[in-house]
Amino acid sequence: METVTETITGTKNFIELEIDKDLTEGRYDKVVTRFPPEPNGYLHIGHAKSILLNYGLAKEYNGQFNMRFDDTNPTKEKDEFVQSIQKDIEWLGADFHGVVHYASDYFEQMYEICEKLIQKGKAYASNLNAEEIREYRGTLTEPGKEDPNSTRPIEESLQIFHDMRDGKYQDGEMVIRARIDMASPNINMRDPILYRVAHMSHVRTGDQWCIYPMYDFAHPIEDAIEGISHSICTLEFEDHRPLYDWVCKEAGFAHPPRQIEFAKMYLTNVITGKRYIKKLVEDGTVDGWDDPRLVSIAGLRRRGFTPESIQNFVRLTGISKSNASIDYAELEYCIREDLKLRDRRVMAVMHPLKLVIDNYPEGQTEELDVPNNKENEELGMRQVPFSRELYIEQDDFMVEPPKKYKRLYPGNEVRLMNAYYVTCTSYDTDEDGNVTCVHCTYDPESRGGDSPDGRKVRGTIHWVNIDTAVEAEIRQYENIVNEELGVYNEDGSVNVNPNSKVVVKGYIEPIVKGAKAYDSFQFVRDGFYCVDCKDSTDDHMVFNRVVSLKSSYKLPNKQ
């Protein structure tokens, strides 16, 4: 796969330049990167950037890419999230060779390192509660105050730490803090907490531990143990870098990793916050973390996005040091570009209106040879059944059309796509005046959609053969956010678009019969659709609209 480190201009990004410098100076012999998510939810499109960047760097430098779960907080972690994350990373194409690392693999080493810090006088036990710790910590403009426990004798702090592990303290009753500098201008260096008591069962270690390391303490240790050379993370960790380096130094690692930060990828008008998605799931607004309206990787996959489209999207957005918002339409552009040459183009009718060709022989069915994709001849041809009775779209017929209406109306001739010229002769209505059937005659000499006498028609409409069409549930998705009103309401809830999911019963060419989960097609004149991986069956096919066919969006100049 083309990695996200390969830019349009061919120039190297700032991370690559730093890695080149480190290798030239002999700081590292090998580039080793990692993706370390906490398994407390599903991954979203923003995570894809980090995954593909870290994997791409390892691949570019013939190094190693590690997959690691940062499972240090059992309060929110589930095996469901572990499985979904691993599946997402594999699907995106980031190869970790089947080896999965866990922070919990290193709990014993973290414990020993914390013991070492206490013995060195670099950490101490504190019984301040959470509110008191915040108060003593100070503010961004005022220095903190020394913790009264900071002078506790080393032996006493060490014994307390052992007692914490043995379950002799309740949650929140005691913590271990680093001894650094309560007057530091960087608030993260003001004696941060290293360990806390949490009597909770862990998804992997069960009840073996009742104390757990804090992220800022555990993360650099995990990286160092695994021999990570470059810890690539997002900008919010820039102020945490001094603490990252402090932990590595005081723990005594000879070749500590180097942390480098890059800008997150923000998409306009999407929901990525786990608490918001969790609320949508719990309220039944969406049918799970993989609902196709979400930009979770699982949701995008279920909707019909391809790994290649997301790889290209991440590559086009680039790597920078400045946060910026990306238009969601750019992601849609990438999936259109990916599918337009690989998908077969088939006819599907969403709002059926019966059409009868009165002069076509009754009981006869013929097979029309139709190209699968005129832009990609390698996809070959297919045969499409055609007979006397068809379905067309309701809005392809009008009794009293406006000016410049090019489709079917009484007395007008149009082209049935890939088939024949037909002329409307009459129509039937129900007791309420609604059109129920359109009657036409056809020109037998116009097979294939061209007339031998050279006459032209202004309109072309698509159709399906009633006897052979596949009935399907078709889900037409729009953004789950009501873009006109903004992403969130004043109370913090999501401003949900009531039309984000519209379900219709449609009829499709028989070529889709037997299609499997994730198989995709272009429904002509409408958009790209894929077979839903959860709800579609052989007897009840379900299609998700991946993206509409056209957009006014133009790719920005990335030069």
Side-chain angles (χ1 to χ4, degrees):
M1 86 180 188
E2 192 175 49
T3 69
V4 300
T5 57
E6 297 175 78
T7 64
I8 295 175
T9 61
T11 58
K12 291 195 172 186
N13 60 55
F14 72 95
I15 297 177
E16 292 169 309
L17 294 175
E18 290 298 323
I19 292 176
D20 287 346
K21 182 173 179 288
D22 289 340
L23 294 175
T24 299
E25 295 176 352
R27 183 170 181 174
Y28 304 106
D29 297 327
K30 179 182 179 182
V31 173
V32 184
T33 61
R34 81 291 173 268
F35 178 66
E38 182 183 356
N40 62 355
Y42 280 54
L43 301 181
H44 57 69
I45 186 65
H47 294 112
K49 181 173 184 176
S50 182
I51 294 167
L52 295 173
L53 172 59
N54 278 283
Y55 174 69
L57 290 169
K59 183 178 179 182
E60 177 185 356
Y61 289 94
N62 295 315
Q64 177 179 319
F65 171 73
N66 283 11
M67 168 65 227
R68 182 209 309 145
F69 287 102
D70 214 317
D71 55 343
T72 58
N73 184 8
T75 59
K76 299 179 180 179
E77 295 163 359
K78 296 180 180 179
D79 186 62
E80 172 193 354
F81 300 142
V82 170
Q83 300 305 319
S84 72
I85 289 171
Q86 188 167 331
K87 182 177 181 180
D88 289 346
I89 294 172
E90 291 173 335
W91 178 76
L92 280 173
D95 188 3
F96 50 89
H97 302 289
V99 179
V100 179
H101 302 268
Y102 295 86
S104 52
D105 292 338
Y106 315 126
F107 277 173
E108 192 66 46
Q109 288 154 287
M110 293 175 191
Y111 180 83
E112 293 172 359
I113 288 172
C114 190
E115 276 187 320
K116 178 180 178 180
L117 295 184
I118 294 173
Q119 291 167 344
K120 290 171 58 179
K122 298 291 184 177
Y124 59 91
S126 173
N127 58 7
L128 293 185
N129 59 38
E131 184 177 339
E132 290 170 330
I133 287 176
R134 282 193 296 270
E135 178 186 345
Y136 274 75
R137 200 179 196 188
T139 67
L140 294 175
T141 57
E142 298 177 352
K145 299 183 296 183
E146 292 293 331
D147 185 325
N149 299 280
S150 62
T151 57
R152 190 190 301 271
I154 289 174
E155 294 76 14
E156 186 179 338
S157 286
L158 200 58
Q159 185 58 53
I160 290 173
F161 188 42
H162 295 161
D163 291 342
M164 287 168 61
R165 178 174 182 171
D166 291 341
K168 296 181 181 179
Y169 290 96
Q170 299 302 309
D171 294 4
E173 190 177 353
M174 192 70 71
V175 296
I176 301 298
R177 301 183 69 177
R179 181 182 281 107
I180 306 179
D181 182 4
M182 291 302 293
S184 172
N186 185 337
I187 203 166
N188 296 292
M189 299 296 282
R190 296 177 189 173
D191 291 13
I193 298 173
L194 305 182
Y195 262 91
R196 83 284 194 192
V197 179
H199 290 270
M200 292 200 67
S201 183
H202 189 279
V203 69
R204 293 189 71 244
T205 61
D207 297 324
Q208 181 180 347
W209 294 88
C210 61
I211 58 171
Y212 292 95
M214 301 298 289
Y215 176 86
D216 279 343
F217 176 64
H219 189 68
I221 294 174
E222 298 158 27
D223 283 348
I225 289 174
E226 291 178 13
I228 302 301
S229 62
H230 295 86
S231 176
I232 311 300
C233 56
T234 47
L235 284 177
E236 70 264 32
F237 291 100
E238 185 173 16
D239 290 341
H240 295 248
R241 193 197 319 149
L243 179 55
Y244 183 100
D245 294 340
W246 183 91
V247 171
C248 288
K249 177 184 176 182
E250 297 300 335
F253 290 107
H255 301 285
R258 181 184 175 193
Q259 178 175 304
I260 303 175
E261 306 86 16
F262 69 98
K264 272 186 174 181
M265 180 170 64
Y266 294 97
L267 259 66
T268 57
N269 297 313
V270 300
I271 307 297
T272 55
K274 291 175 183 176
R275 66 185 181 96
Y276 295 108
I277 296 177
K278 185 172 182 287
K279 185 72 163 55
L280 292 172
V281 172
E282 292 175 345
D283 291 348
T285 304
V286 297
D287 65 354
W289 289 79
D290 63 349
D291 188 290
R293 290 166 289 178
L294 300 174
V295 291
S296 62
I297 295 176
L300 292 170
R301 178 170 63 249
R302 182 179 173 189
R303 184 159 175 171
F305 279 75
T306 61
E308 293 83 2
S309 68
I310 295 176
Q311 291 164 11
N312 192 41
F313 172 66
V314 172
R315 186 179 69 88
L316 290 174
T317 59
I319 308 299
S320 72
K321 296 181 180 180
S322 301
N323 287 324
S325 293
I326 310 298
D327 195 329
Y328 180 78
E330 188 164 333
L331 178 59
E332 293 182 318
Y333 165 85
C334 289
I335 186 62
R336 282 193 195 94
E337 288 295 298
D338 188 53
L339 294 181
K340 71 179 183 180
L341 294 180
R342 72 162 73 191
D343 277 3
R344 289 170 289 182
R345 299 176 182 180
V346 305
M347 294 183 287
V349 173
M350 315 286 187
H351 304 93
L353 173 62
K354 187 175 182 179
L355 183 148
V356 176
I357 305 173
D358 292 320
N359 64 334
Y360 193 90
E362 290 193 46
Q364 176 178 312
T365 300
E366 61 180 304
E367 300 287 341
L368 302 174
D369 292 324
V370 176
N372 283 320
N373 187 327
K374 290 183 178 180
E375 294 184 63
N376 184 0
E377 294 182 357
E378 292 183 2
L379 292 181
M381 306 286 288
R382 70 182 185 281
Q383 290 191 319
V384 180
F386 182 89
S387 65
R388 189 170 187 266
E389 296 187 351
L390 312 172
Y391 282 136
I392 63 171
E393 289 287 354
Q394 290 178 10
D395 60 7
D396 280 342
F397 173 80
M398 294 187 73
V399 176
E400 298 179 356
K403 289 183 179 181
K404 298 183 179 181
Y405 184 77
K406 297 180 180 180
R407 285 166 275 178
L408 202 58
Y409 55 87
N412 190 44
E413 185 177 47
V414 300
R415 177 189 293 107
L416 291 179
M417 186 177 289
N418 302 307
Y420 295 95
Y421 284 12
V422 294
T423 301
C424 177
T425 56
S426 64
Y427 58 91
D428 302 330
T429 60
D430 61 18
E431 58 185 15
D432 296 321
N434 299 310
V435 177
T436 57
C437 181
V438 176
H439 291 270
C440 293
T441 58
Y442 86 118
D443 177 0
E445 300 300 318
S446 63
R447 179 184 165 103
D450 292 310
S451 174
D453 62 10
R455 74 182 186 276
K456 302 295 183 182
V457 294
R458 296 198 306 161
T460 299
I461 63 175
H462 66 281
W463 51 275
V464 293
N465 187 54
I466 290 179
D467 288 341
T468 57
V470 175
E471 183 180 311
E473 178 181 326
I474 298 175
R475 299 170 178 175
Q476 297 175 320
Y477 291 109
E478 294 181 3
N479 194 342
I480 195 170
V481 171
N482 189 330
E483 296 181 18
E484 293 183 0
L485 300 178
V487 178
Y488 303 110
N489 295 306
E490 291 184 1
D491 62 0
S493 61
V494 175
N495 221 323
V496 176
N497 173 11
N499 299 315
S500 61
K501 178 182 179 181
V502 176
V503 179
V504 299
K505 181 172 74 173
Y507 296 88
I508 315 171
E509 285 183 44
I511 190 176
V512 302
K513 191 178 296 183
K516 303 303 181 185
Y518 306 113
D519 286 351
S520 62
F521 304 85
Q522 182 188 129
F523 290 177
V524 295
R525 298 173 60 201
D526 186 281
F528 296 93
Y529 286 79
C530 90
V531 179
D532 186 80
C533 63
K534 290 178 71 173
D535 300 330
S536 188
T537 66
D538 290 341
D539 297 328
H540 178 72
M541 297 198 74
V542 178
F543 285 86
N544 301 324
R545 183 164 65 189
V546 187
V547 66
S548 59
L549 201 56
K550 294 181 180 180
S551 172
S552 59
Y553 178 79
K554 293 183 179 180
L555 185 67
N557 185 355
K558 297 289 185 179
Q559 301 295 330

